[in-house]
Amino acid sequence: MTTESPPDRNGLATYERFMATVRRACASPEGRATLRQGLADNLENPWPLYMHLMPAGGIPVRKDTPPHAQRQAELPFLMTAALYAVHDAPNPRAGDKPLAVRQPVPAKQWENLGWSLARAAGTGMRRETAIGLLSHLCELDHDALIAELPATISLLRSNRVPVKWPVLLRDLIRYQRWAPDVRIDWARAYTMPVRPKETSK
């Protein structure tokens, strides 16, 4: 199942819809466990993830994506789904609240990795560490970023720093072809003054 998914800077509707798909896939213990295992396997054996994501709504890649490029185009979706399953998905086995009553606050387009690292620097992480981590991420190519992202997200979430999944997904897609633009957006978000009504989740 495919839909149009232009990697635009501000539009998040497609990515919000995909995260709803991920939440549906994680609503069953098997779906959540499978997506979590995908991260443990470094996405080297992704077909089980497809078995849960496709029935839940599919992976939206551009309809004009050539077949030979489809797997690469879908990689950011699989990575984001697996990261969400590990760090934020409610656990059906533990009796967590039903997903229908746990809808997230819609993300803002500037709530990217730079924004998350700025929150981290304001809640315990040394500023030099946050800046160093952001600088390191911005020096990576797309494949290296995908490889290093799990450790970064784990660090942020273990410190209760929010990660806005639709924004992360959008940026991973854009990073494949427009990495300099994404890096500038992250730098701008890091240096942006904290808004008084920003939520923690």
Side-chain angles (χ1 to χ4, degrees):
M1 180 177 183
T2 59
T3 58
E4 291 287 340
S5 178
D8 60 277
R9 179 179 175 189
N10 298 318
L12 292 174
T14 296
Y15 314 115
E16 297 275 10
R17 286 193 296 271
F18 177 71
M19 291 314 301
T21 293
V22 175
R23 291 193 297 275
R24 285 191 293 273
C26 289
S28 72
E30 297 80 10
R32 179 175 177 268
T34 298
L35 267 61
R36 289 167 65 91
Q37 187 61 42
L39 189 62
D41 294 340
N42 297 315
L43 302 180
E44 292 179 3
N45 186 32
W47 72 264
L49 282 73
Y50 286 91
M51 295 297 292
H52 291 277
L53 290 171
M54 301 311 278
I59 301 174
V61 297
R62 292 180 59 95
K63 291 179 180 177
D64 58 356
T65 302
H68 68 274
Q70 188 162 353
R71 283 283 300 278
Q72 185 68 14
E74 290 174 342
L75 181 59
F77 292 93
L78 297 176
M79 174 57 75
T80 305
L83 286 168
Y84 170 83
V86 167
H87 295 289
D88 279 355
N91 184 354
R93 293 190 193 279
D96 288 349
K97 286 185 178 181
L99 297 175
V101 297
R102 290 177 56 111
Q103 295 302 316
V105 176
K108 307 296 189 300
Q109 61 94 7
W110 65 82
E111 293 175 332
N112 55 36
L113 275 180
W115 175 87
S116 291
L117 285 165
R119 308 289 68 68
T123 57
M125 182 183 289
R126 294 178 61 228
R127 182 174 174 80
E128 294 80 6
T129 301
I131 291 174
L133 182 53
L134 180 59
S135 298
H136 173 67
L137 293 173
C138 287
E139 292 171 355
L140 302 175
D141 62 21
H142 184 261
D143 290 343
L145 177 64
I146 289 290
E148 297 232 359
L149 194 60
T152 300
I153 298 302
S154 180
L155 177 64
L156 291 171
R157 295 304 294 128
S158 66
N159 287 283
R160 299 180 181 268
V161 175
V163 172
K164 298 296 184 169
W165 303 107
V167 181
L168 177 65
L169 173 56
R170 178 205 62 190
D171 287 351
L172 291 180
I173 293 169
R174 292 174 60 226
Y175 207 93
Q176 291 176 314
R177 293 180 61 188
W178 296 283
D181 293 342
V182 177
R183 292 166 181 148
I184 289 170
D185 285 347
W186 290 351
R188 285 174 174 159
Y190 183 86
T191 57
M192 184 183 299
V194 176
R195 291 168 168 76
K197 292 187 177 180
E198 281 184 347
T199 58
S200 60
K201 286 188 178 182

